[in-house]
Amino acid sequence: MIRIKQTVFAGKPWKNVRPLRMADEQAVSLRIDPDRRHQTMLGFGAAFTEAACYTFYQAPPLIRHRIMRMYFSSHGLRYRLGRLAINSCDFSLDSYTYVQEGDPDLRTFSLDREEQYVIPTIKWALRESEGLSFLASPWSPPAYMKSNHNMKMGGKLLPRYQGLWADYIAKYLHEMRSRDIPIEYLTVQNEPEAIQTWESCGYTGEEEGRFIGEHLIPSLKKAGLDQTKILIWDHNRDQIVTRALATFGLEDAKNASWGLAYHWYVSDEHENLTKVHELYPDKHLLFTEGCVEYRGADVSKADKNELWSHGEMYGRHMINDFNNFTEGWIDWNFLLNEMGGPNHARNYCEAPLMYDRKKKRLIVNPSYYYIGHFSRFVDVGARRLERELSDHEKLYAASFMNPNGTIVTVIQNEGIARTLAYDCAGRRVPIKIPSHSITTLIDTNKPRRK
């Protein structure tokens, strides 16, 4: 049996439709090969920034319960991944660290700031979900550890503080674990080639590699955290190949790194991910940040066509990334207010769910439903399948085999309406694919498993 979930532009999300009867008309062909299996899926998720968690607690209890169910429950998006900021980021209420300025031995280290909004939100999500795995990323060390004595505007980690900063990161992981929030994944630095007006810090590929081998690994081992999976880069796709070559040119860094993290800004060069996979087939690829950057306008007054195009951008990026060996997908803020904040750098963005403080209501953007076409049906442990699409004119598709053998195929059509001939294991079924739609096929006719 094939079940079909379909969202059409401005239409009802996840509408059930039926397969067509086979006709002689010319159709686009989508052929799935269930015997050619690629990367294993880790799941989907979003970031628990201070801005997101603060906004969450501005909402009344009924809306908070609804948000948790919509994201983390088995009836919602089934999120299984979460990203955390070590120290503040632009989506914090202001800049902060966990130590007093100039502390030479971390005696003042405290997570009291995170206990206000972030940790309680995480604990709630853990109770609602079937389990969450966390990734942590630093935006900047404390100002006294940096060349520009400022958490913002780039700068470099001073050599004399590299060991202390590595101990600081390990201490954060240890303190979160003591609160029953184990962090499985760690990136070395968020966007290490960006000089931002908010928290940022620069590393070359070689500098990142040396920091991993000479400081981070020893600190993690000393703290009993050597099972933490380290990811390099955590920046855009455009330079990911160059960065991999530079950082993995250092053998210690290559051996210690689990994989590469990346973002979607600037570049649509999804093929760079396959290039990295071909160079380093034992390394993993994880998408760790993406959003629609905003101008601080009230999203409740935004043009609906534009919002739906944002949803299409999500679907297109996800399909293309998965077809190029990405294993997991972490959205940016899980929640923001109606202005796309709070953000102490006025770097406002959109989120799939936004809380309108004026009208006391939840805004559900189209991107929420586009993510759901993947996360609601592709299970953790699914394998991406080889697929062949006869027409790529504004048509995108990715297929997966869940651990139970069910095959899930997501198809996004940004062009004219057409009929698609779905062909898997010798069965051919025609499906109507409307213009500007995203469709998920759930094929429960399980082929023979290897």
Side-chain angles (χ1 to χ4, degrees):
M1 183 182 75
I2 295 179
R3 291 186 291 123
I4 305 171
K5 300 286 186 178
Q6 202 165 71
T7 296
V8 183
F9 172 72
K12 184 178 180 181
W14 299 318
K15 178 183 178 182
N16 283 298
V17 297
R18 293 181 179 179
L20 304 171
R21 291 186 177 182
M22 184 60 72
D24 294 330
E25 63 180 290
Q26 186 68 32
V28 176
S29 172
L30 175 62
R31 183 169 297 171
I32 313 300
D33 187 344
D35 292 327
R36 295 182 64 189
R37 303 169 198 176
H38 300 292
Q39 76 271 22
T40 301
M41 302 301 295
L42 296 171
F44 303 81
F48 291 81
T49 61
E50 185 182 53
C53 299
Y54 171 78
T55 302
F56 178 73
Y57 277 100
Q58 285 193 305
L62 284 177
I63 289 182
R64 294 204 297 268
H65 280 279
R66 183 184 173 197
I67 291 166
M68 282 291 159
R69 288 196 305 270
M70 289 178 71
Y71 273 130
F72 301 103
S73 79
S74 59
H75 302 290
L77 296 192
R78 307 193 308 162
Y79 274 179
R80 299 293 297 272
L81 299 172
R83 189 181 186 212
L84 309 176
I86 301 175
N87 293 329
S88 58
C89 64
D90 50 326
F91 278 95
S92 299
L93 304 184
D94 51 54
S95 293
Y96 64 87
T97 70
Y98 307 132
V99 295
Q100 294 177 9
E101 188 67 14
D103 183 348
D105 50 16
L106 310 183
R107 289 183 182 274
T108 60
F109 190 97
S110 169
L111 291 185
D112 286 352
R113 176 70 178 244
E114 308 295 17
E115 293 280 7
Q116 295 180 61
Y117 303 110
V118 175
I119 289 173
T121 307
I122 292 170
K123 291 294 185 71
W124 194 336
L126 282 166
R127 291 193 298 271
E128 190 71 46
S129 74
E130 296 176 356
L132 286 168
S133 296
F134 294 98
L135 172 140
S137 305
W139 269 247
S140 174
Y144 71 92
M145 296 187 188
K146 295 178 65 183
S147 61
N148 63 346
H149 307 291
N150 190 340
M151 290 184 73
K152 306 173 184 177
M153 300 302 298
K156 294 273 193 178
L157 175 63
L158 292 167
R160 67 178 180 275
Y161 285 117
Q162 288 183 355
L164 186 65
W165 175 233
D167 288 345
Y168 187 111
I169 293 171
K171 193 168 185 65
Y172 169 82
L173 300 181
H174 174 77
E175 289 295 319
M176 291 296 277
R177 176 175 284 189
S178 73
R179 291 162 172 80
D180 298 318
I181 305 172
I183 295 171
E184 185 173 352
Y185 307 95
L186 172 70
T187 68
V188 178
Q189 169 65 43
N190 177 74
E191 299 188 347
E193 286 192 352
I195 299 174
Q196 307 283 24
T197 57
W198 54 86
E199 292 83 345
S200 46
C201 184
Y203 289 79
T204 66
E206 291 81 1
E207 287 168 344
E208 185 174 18
R210 285 197 296 273
F211 177 73
I212 292 170
E214 297 173 12
H215 302 285
L216 187 56
I217 292 302
S219 290
L220 293 176
K221 285 183 177 178
K222 184 172 62 177
L225 297 164
D226 47 317
Q227 297 303 306
T228 306
K229 298 179 175 69
I230 296 172
L231 295 93
I232 68 165
W233 190 222
D234 211 5
H235 209 159
N236 299 329
R237 298 186 195 94
D238 56 342
Q239 297 298 317
I240 192 169
V241 178
T242 302
R243 188 69 172 211
L245 290 167
T247 305
F248 291 161
L250 284 76
E251 200 67 21
D252 286 348
K254 184 176 74 170
N255 293 339
S257 297
W258 179 82
L260 298 96
Y262 70 93
H263 304 172
W264 79 11
Y265 312 109
V266 178
S267 168
D268 291 348
E269 298 168 88
H270 306 273
E271 65 277 6
N272 285 346
L273 305 175
T274 290
K275 291 176 183 177
V276 169
H277 173 75
E278 290 172 345
L279 285 166
Y280 306 100
D282 62 324
K283 302 303 179 188
H284 305 263
L285 289 161
L286 185 62
F287 178 86
T288 51
E289 185 185 316
C291 70
V292 177
E293 296 176 281
Y294 229 55
R295 294 181 294 276
D298 189 331
V299 73
S300 65
K301 300 174 183 176
D303 179 83
K304 301 302 180 186
N305 291 348
E306 184 179 7
L307 290 174
W308 279 93
S309 73
H310 296 169
E312 286 191 331
M313 183 168 72
Y314 268 77
R316 186 186 326 121
H317 277 275
M318 294 172 84
I319 288 171
N320 287 331
D321 282 350
F322 293 139
N323 284 332
N324 285 279
F325 295 96
T326 292
E327 299 176 25
W329 208 89
I330 305 175
D331 190 28
W332 195 202
N333 304 276
F334 78 88
L335 182 71
L336 293 172
N337 64 33
E338 77 285 349
M339 300 296 289
N343 184 295
H344 71 81
R346 303 181 67 83
N347 179 38
Y348 302 115
C349 296
E350 189 179 295
L353 297 183
M354 303 177 81
Y355 175 60
D356 188 331
R357 297 165 295 174
K358 303 169 190 173
K359 298 181 180 179
K360 307 291 184 186
R361 70 182 183 94
L362 189 64
I363 300 167
V364 184
N365 284 319
S367 55
Y368 174 86
Y369 298 109
Y370 278 78
I371 295 170
H373 271 277
F374 299 86
S375 68
R376 281 166 53 93
F377 309 106
V378 179
D379 297 337
V380 173
R383 297 281 300 277
R384 199 252 307 176
L385 300 178
E386 189 69 23
R387 60 98 183 105
E388 182 180 331
L389 188 62
S390 65
D391 185 354
H392 291 273
E393 184 62 30
K394 296 187 177 180
L395 195 64
Y396 309 88
S399 291
F400 310 85
M401 180 183 286
N402 282 329
N404 67 0
T406 298
I407 293 177
V408 175
T409 300
V410 184
I411 305 154
Q412 182 163 309
N413 181 19
E414 298 180 29
I416 61 172
R418 60 188 83 187
T419 300
L420 183 139
Y422 170 83
D423 188 338
C424 181
R427 290 180 302 103
R428 195 163 181 262
V429 180
I431 311 292
K432 185 177 181 181
I433 305 294
S435 175
H436 291 284
S437 66
I438 184 167
T439 302
T440 300
L441 311 179
I442 305 103
D443 188 345
T444 58
N445 293 282
K446 302 171 186 177
R448 175 183 54 84
R449 298 190 67 188
K450 283 187 173 181

